[in-house]
């Protein structure tokens, strides 16, 4: 029995959510989805019991967006362990280091079970590391593990809270995916986090340095004082006019791009050579490359923060993250974090350039990898065409020939779409869009997915015969 089998067997002994005996109606599934979202929001606003502060160091906005986390609350870890476990498992399967055929139901079940065990193991590790690093208390000596103002019992209690909260998030995600709700919990929580961040930048009346954080409250203040020049650009974390315009423009651009298609003409001999077209999305890999880049960057930022806590300043710690007066000013973590606005982009163009090049380059690599892992490559598409009885006019029904032809469409489309979504995210970050570029990209994709799923469910309820036709 291999390690994967052991992990899958462990998951079989962990309490889980069972599939519904009957398929719930649309409104019932929407209710369960709303309850899952409500549970997440409550946990994201519930402070950890027994902590002294919400955690040291600057807030890592990218981590909070991608991992749907909130510092100092039960959602400190957010969905981080879940998506990190999924990313690592997908890479191992794609690299053939794990021999699984994800199109096989049994292999897929084993993969899902092992991923759950891995996510819980990561949650336990991160929870222990956060508590051991004295993240929420005062460090009284050179080593945070031995010189912490909190007792061992307090730290163990906080670690337990973080682990249980992550386990609840896993159960909520399972509940939604197994048919009680709509979509997935991971997508839902990311959308909630991005929406909260955008509303914060737009409407928050809380003042910092005498100015409201939200753009609209600040606009009212600026109109009353006559200082309209202050509404155009503002420091990171505060809503400004440039960020609002960029946010709206990026949303419209993404909606337009996701509606574009590249059509491949095909015929079917079974239907007397009736001609049709196979539409491929112009954004062939959707937002997956940027999501994977965001997960990778967020993990690096979290690791850099923890490592610096243990190693202290200097050496490797400064190479990963350099702080000055509590602010992140250098190191790998600094260059991997979004600039946060036009003022910051102008102030440090080197950081903006490094960030842009790294995001776009990694997005292309992740896009090519995802196409292979998800079975969206030319070989898999050619095989599906042959099995379905379709053929491209003038081309023999030979999978190898079809693969060579389809690769002329799919490979350039994968590279181009990965580059475009990464460029959109980078431009949004450089200009200070609300919710970050990656956040907006993910949010727009998730909203469109939910729209399609709800429209599909409404069609099934309006036309019951469709359920029998598609085997629902």
């Amino acid at each position: 029995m291999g390690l994967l089998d052991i992990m899958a067997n462990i998951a079989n002994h962990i309490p889980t959510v069972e599939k519904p005996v009957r398929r719930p109606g649309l409104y019932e599934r929407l209710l369960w989805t709303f309850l899952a979202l409500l549970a997440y929001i409550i946990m994201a606003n519930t402070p950890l019991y027994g902590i002294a502060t919400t955690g040291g160091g600057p807030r890592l906005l990218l981590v909070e967006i991608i991992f749907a986390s909130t510092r100092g609350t039960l959602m400190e870890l957010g969905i981080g362990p879940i998506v990190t476990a999924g990313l690592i498992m997908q890479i191992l399967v794609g690299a053939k280091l794990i021999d699984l055929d994800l199109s096989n139901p049994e292999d897929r079940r084993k993969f899902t079970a092992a991923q759950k065990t891995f996510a819980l193991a990561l949650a336990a590790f991160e929870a222990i590391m956060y508590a051991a690093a004295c993240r929420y208390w005062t460090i009284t000596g050179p080593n945070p593990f031995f010189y912490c103002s909190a007792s061992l019992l307090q730290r163990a209690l906080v670690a337990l809270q973080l682990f249980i909260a992550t386990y609840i998030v896993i159960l909520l995600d399972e509940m939604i995916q197994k048919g009680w709700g709509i979509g997935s919990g991971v997508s839902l929580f990311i959308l909630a986090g991005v929406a909260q961040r955008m509303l914060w930048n737009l409407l928050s009346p809380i003042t910092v340095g005498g100015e409201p954080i939200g753009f609209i409250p600040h606009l009212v203040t600026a109109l009353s004082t006559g200082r309209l020049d202050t509404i155009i650009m503002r420091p990171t974390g505060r809503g400004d006019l440039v960020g609002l315009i960029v946010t709206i423009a990026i949303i419209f651009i993404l909606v337009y791009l996701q509606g574009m298609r590249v059509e491949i003409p095909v015929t079917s001999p079974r239907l007397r050579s009736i001609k049709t077209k196979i539409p491929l999305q112009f954004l062939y890999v959707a937002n997956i490359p940027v999501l994977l880049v965001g997960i990778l960057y967020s993990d690096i930022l979290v690791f850099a923060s923890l490592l610096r806590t243990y190693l202290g300043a200097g050496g490797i710690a400064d190479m990963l993250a350099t702080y000055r007066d509590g602010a992140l000013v250098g190191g790998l973590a600094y260059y991997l974090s979004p600039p946060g606005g036009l003022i910051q982009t102008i102030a440090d163009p080197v950081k903006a350039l490094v960030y842009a090049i790294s995001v776009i380059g990694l997005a292309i690599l992740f896009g090519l990898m995802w196409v292979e892992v998800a079975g969206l490559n030319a070989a898999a598409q050619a095989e599906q065409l042959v099995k379905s009885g379709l053929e491209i006019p003038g081309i023999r029904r030979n999978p190898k020939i079809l693969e060579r032809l389809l690769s002329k469409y799919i490979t350039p489309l994968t590279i181009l779409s990965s580059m475009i979504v990464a460029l959109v995210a980078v431009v949004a970050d450089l200009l200070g869009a609300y919710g970050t570029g990656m956040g907006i990209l993910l949010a727009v994709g998730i909203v469109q997915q939910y729209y399609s799923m709800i429209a599909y469910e409404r069609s099934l309820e309006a036309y019951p015969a469709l359920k029998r036709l598609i085997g629902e």
Side-chain angles (χ1 to χ4, degrees), residues 194-238:
V194 176
Q196 182 178 355
R197 175 60 53 183
M198 294 175 71
L199 290 175
W200 180 265
N201 287 140
L202 186 64
L203 301 173
S204 175
I206 297 176
T207 59
V208 175
E211 292 184 355
I213 293 176
F215 172 69
I216 292 180
H218 177 66
L219 177 62
V220 173
T221 303
L223 288 173
S224 63
T225 58
R227 295 188 58 193
L228 295 180
D229 57 307
T230 62
I231 70 173
I232 299 176
M233 292 187 298
R234 302 172 72 199
T236 301
R238 306 181 193 180

Side-chain angles (χ1 to χ4, degrees), residues 246 250 253-254 257 282-283 285-287 289-291 293 339 352-353 355-364 414-433 436-438 440-441:
V246 170
I250 291 295
I253 290 172
L254 289 174
L257 290 175
F282 178 70
L283 298 183
V285 288
N287 55 24
V290 169
L291 174 60
V293 172
L353 183 62
Y355 177 76
I357 293 174
S358 62
V359 169
I360 294 173
L362 283 174
I364 293 173
T414 299
I415 296 174
L416 181 61
S417 60
S418 299
M419 188 183 301
I420 288 175
V421 294
L423 185 61
V424 168
V426 166
V427 170
D429 283 331
L430 297 182
L431 298 180
T436 76
M438 291 186 184
I440 295 173
L441 192 65

Side-chain angles (χ1 to χ4, degrees), residues 53-70:
T53 66
T54 57
R59 298 187 67 174
L60 302 176
L61 182 57
L62 180 62
V63 176
E64 295 184 10
I65 291 291
I66 299 298
F67 287 166
S69 64
T70 305

Side-chain angles (χ1 to χ4, degrees), residues 28 161 299 357 372:
E28 184 180 350
Q161 291 177 73
D299 283 326
I357 293 174
E372 296 295 328

Side-chain angles (χ1 to χ4, degrees), residues 334-350:
Y334 173 75
Y335 288 101
L336 295 186
S337 57
L342 194 54
I343 292 178
Q344 287 70 29
T345 300
I346 296 173
D348 194 347
V350 174

Side-chain angles (χ1 to χ4, degrees), residues 113-458:
Q115 180 180 317
K116 179 179 179 179
T117 302
F118 190 21
L120 287 173
L122 285 176
F125 173 75
E126 290 185 25
I128 293 172
M129 289 290 289
Y130 273 43
C134 199
R135 182 178 175 86
Y136 310 104
W137 304 278
T138 303
I139 300 175
T140 59
N143 190 299
F145 185 79
F146 298 105
Y147 297 91
C148 183
S149 60
S151 66
L152 191 60
L153 179 60
Q154 282 180 287
R155 295 155 83 180
L157 181 60
V158 167
L160 183 62
Q161 291 177 73
L162 292 174
F163 177 76
I164 293 176
T166 303
Y167 178 57
I168 292 174
V169 169
I170 291 175
L171 291 179
L172 292 174
D173 182 50
E174 284 186 348
M175 180 190 74
I176 294 176
Q177 292 204 54
K178 287 188 175 181
W180 291 102
I182 295 178
S184 75
V186 169
S187 297
L188 185 67
F189 302 150
I190 290 176
L191 178 60
V194 176
Q196 182 178 355
R197 175 60 53 183
M198 294 175 71
L199 290 175
W200 180 265
N201 287 140
L202 186 64
L203 301 173
S204 175
I206 297 176
T207 59
V208 175
E211 292 184 355
I213 293 176
F215 172 69
I216 292 180
H218 177 66
L219 177 62
V220 173
T221 303
L223 288 173
S224 63
T225 58
R227 295 188 58 193
L228 295 180
D229 57 307
T230 62
I231 70 173
I232 299 176
M233 292 187 298
R234 302 172 72 199
T236 301
R238 306 181 193 180
D240 56 30
L241 182 60
V242 173
L244 179 61
I245 294 174
V246 170
T247 301
I248 296 173
I250 291 295
I251 291 174
F252 277 104
I253 290 172
L254 289 174
V255 171
Y256 175 76
L257 290 175
Q258 291 185 1
M260 293 177 62
R261 299 288 185 272
V262 175
E263 298 180 334
I264 301 177
V266 296
T267 61
S268 175
R270 299 177 185 176
L271 301 176
R272 298 183 179 180
S273 297
I274 293 178
K275 294 183 178 181
T276 184
K277 295 179 180 179
I278 295 179
L280 298 178
Q281 281 192 335
F282 178 70
L283 298 183
Y284 189 64
V285 288
N287 55 24
I288 297 297
V290 169
L291 174 60
L292 296 178
V293 172
I295 294 171
L296 175 63
Y297 277 21
S298 298
D299 283 326
I300 292 175
L301 293 172
V302 169
F303 177 75
S305 176
L306 288 174
L307 193 61
R308 180 179 177 82
T309 302
Y310 282 102
L311 297 181
I316 297 177
D318 278 348
M319 291 176 61
L320 290 173
T322 304
Y323 292 90
R324 185 180 301 127
D325 298 327
L328 184 63
V329 296
L332 181 63
Y334 173 75
Y335 288 101
L336 295 186
S337 57
L342 194 54
I343 292 178
Q344 287 70 29
T345 300
I346 296 173
D348 194 347
V350 174
K351 173 188 176 179
L353 183 62
V354 172
Y355 177 76
I357 293 174
S358 62
V359 169
I360 294 173
L362 283 174
I364 293 173
L365 291 177
F366 277 128
L368 293 170
M369 182 200 75
W370 178 254
V371 165
E372 296 295 328
V373 171
L376 298 174
N377 56 9
Q381 297 291 348
E383 186 176 347
Q384 290 181 11
L385 278 176
V386 172
K387 288 181 178 179
S388 63
L390 295 173
E391 62 184 28
I392 297 177
I395 303 296
R396 289 184 299 168
R397 296 182 71 247
N398 184 318
K400 294 298 181 183
I401 298 177
L402 288 175
E403 179 183 344
R404 285 198 297 270
L405 180 65
L406 290 175
S407 64
K408 296 180 180 179
Y409 290 89
I410 291 177
T411 302
L413 200 57
T414 299
I415 296 174
L416 181 61
S417 60
S418 299
M419 188 183 301
I420 288 175
V421 294
L423 185 61
V424 168
V426 166
V427 170
D429 283 331
L430 297 182
L431 298 180
Y434 299 176
T436 76
M438 291 186 184
I440 295 173
L441 192 65
L442 296 175
V444 171
I446 292 168
V447 168
Q448 289 193 321
Q449 288 173 7
Y450 267 97
Y451 175 80
S452 300
M453 287 185 288
I454 292 174
Y456 172 76
E457 295 292 337
R458 286 179 64 99

